[in-house]
Amino acid sequence: MSIAAKFEIEYLQYLDAEGKQVRDDLPEFAKNLDHMVELYKLMLSTRVFDAKSVALQRTGKLGTYASCLGHEAAHVGIGSAMKPEDVLAVSYREYGAQLYRGVQPREVYMYWGGDERGNDYQNEPARHDFAWSVPIATQCLHAAGSALAFKIRGEKRVAVCTIGDGGSSKGDFYGAINIAGAQNLPMVAVIVNNQWAISVPRKIQSGAPTLAQKGIAAGLYCIQVDGNDIIAVRKAMEDALERARNGEGGSVIEAVTYRLGDHTTADDARRYRGEQEVKDAWAKEPMKRLRNWLVAKKVWDDQKEEAWKAECDEWMDNEVNAYLETKTQPVTAMFDYTFAEVPADLAKQRDLVLSYENKGH
């Protein structure tokens, strides 16, 4: 029998769970130890931010929040590889990538606090990125549409979308990567495989040995990386972005990591996963391995760690205060910014709400 095609999925890793190098061909960016220290500092900042965010929710100062604990290498690796002119379409927990691109924690808090103004990022290059997307996988279609626009305009820009392991089973994801392959679009789709789609484990989400191979049917380049190894994530991203920028097509990258916390603050993961599984995942977490590698290179130590944590605490205090001191929008805002032209029924409701407010109700 003749064979129509053969495929294989490469796996990329530079640092093992203990932070030891498993290959010698480090990419150029990883040879710049000052840069690697900056990436680690952002990962640490992201973790401090995440802990503060959960605390805010628990004290009633924030709505439901999606934690990024354990995703720091994957997210910072994605954001740091992109160029300012590229576009990022996230789901709802890729804070490390967004912080790198200029999103402020106060904006994250406004969003999760129910204020849509949090989506109006003030800093570049985040200002031209997409808002958070809670509907699962729709952001992948936004990225595909952006990539098509870049191609039509002849712009050397790349659209990047992120999606969870569960979200990669949605039709929106398949539709996005299909058009990316069919039209040779400059798009990179990153599946952040944290092993759990809320309470659904990876093993019953898909029968495929890897999630990366989902891109094969679309005609995209596919690779699986250790999502707890920032060097591997950043290298895979840089290569995929360069291919896309040069007109060589899109990619699907699967970053294998683990969700160390609950799915959101409305979830209790202890109900569906065992204590030993989480303990084993903590042994492979991303912060420890990069820190050990930097310590071995003699560019990081406990003193620097504590000093940076103190800076992060001060930074977060300022951001939290800025969020809490933000003046709330008028009640009519929920009507004014939903449609370009307010429909008659909503206009009537708006007038009614306004009349109650004017009467002091």
Side-chain angles (χ1 to χ4, degrees), residues 133-141 163-178 191 197 205-206 211 214:
S133 179
V134 173
I136 304 300
T138 54
Q139 72 276 8
C140 300
L141 296 171
I163 186 71
D165 40 298
S168 72
S169 296
K170 288 291 295 295
D172 308 71
F173 172 77
Y174 286 113
I177 62 173
N178 186 70
I191 303 172
Q205 292 176 41
S206 172
L211 299 182
K214 292 185 176 188

Side-chain angles (χ1 to χ4, degrees), residues 36-258:
M36 294 306 298
V37 167
E38 291 304 310
L39 293 183
Y40 177 75
K41 289 167 72 174
L42 179 55
M43 289 170 61
L44 186 54
S45 299
T46 304
R47 184 160 289 191
V48 171
F49 155 79
D50 192 66
K52 177 66 74 173
S53 304
V54 173
L56 281 174
Q57 192 280 331
R58 297 306 190 207
T59 54
K61 297 175 182 176
L62 200 65
T64 300
Y65 169 79
S67 171
C68 64
L69 184 63
H71 299 70
E72 296 87 0
H75 295 169
V76 174
I78 292 167
S80 63
M82 298 174 64
K83 289 188 176 181
E85 61 267 26
D86 295 333
V87 167
L88 179 62
V90 296
S91 52
Y92 46 78
R93 73 172 88 244
E94 287 78 27
Y95 312 114
Q98 292 183 297
L99 291 174
Y100 191 94
R101 290 178 62 79
V103 172
Q104 303 172 84
R106 68 187 68 179
E107 293 167 334
V108 182
Y109 293 150
M110 288 176 70
Y111 173 75
W112 288 115
D115 191 329
E116 286 293 337
R117 290 177 297 178
N119 283 316
D120 185 18
Y121 314 134
Q122 296 302 302
N123 295 333
E124 294 289 355
R127 190 150 179 80
H128 63 253
D129 288 342
F130 283 91
W132 289 281
S133 179
V134 173
I136 304 300
T138 54
Q139 72 276 8
C140 300
L141 296 171
H142 302 155
S146 298
L148 179 59
F150 299 156
K151 181 179 179 180
I152 291 172
R153 295 172 184 167
E155 298 174 349
K156 283 189 171 295
R157 303 169 67 188
V158 183
V160 176
C161 63
T162 56
I163 186 71
D165 40 298
S168 72
S169 296
K170 288 291 295 295
D172 308 71
F173 172 77
Y174 286 113
I177 62 173
N178 186 70
I179 194 66
Q183 296 293 326
N184 197 43
L185 301 182
M187 187 183 102
V188 177
V190 186
I191 303 172
V192 183
N193 177 5
N194 66 20
Q195 309 303 316
W196 287 90
I198 310 184
S199 60
V200 181
R202 159 68 176 92
K203 63 185 178 182
I204 64 172
Q205 292 176 41
S206 172
T210 72
L211 299 182
Q213 71 195 70
K214 292 185 176 188
I216 290 176
L220 302 181
Y221 175 82
C222 306
I223 186 171
Q224 185 188 75
V225 304
D226 184 339
N228 290 336
D229 174 5
I230 191 171
I231 300 178
V233 176
R234 168 76 175 266
K235 172 60 175 171
M237 280 296 300
E238 282 192 347
D239 290 348
L241 289 165
E242 189 66 17
R243 283 192 300 269
R245 215 178 303 281
N246 292 334
E248 299 172 25
S251 300
V252 171
I253 299 172
E254 178 189 1
V256 181
T257 181
Y258 192 85

Side-chain angles (χ1 to χ4, degrees), residues 11 26 205 290 301 346:
Y11 177 76
L26 282 179
Q205 292 176 41
L290 181 56
D301 54 36
L346 289 188

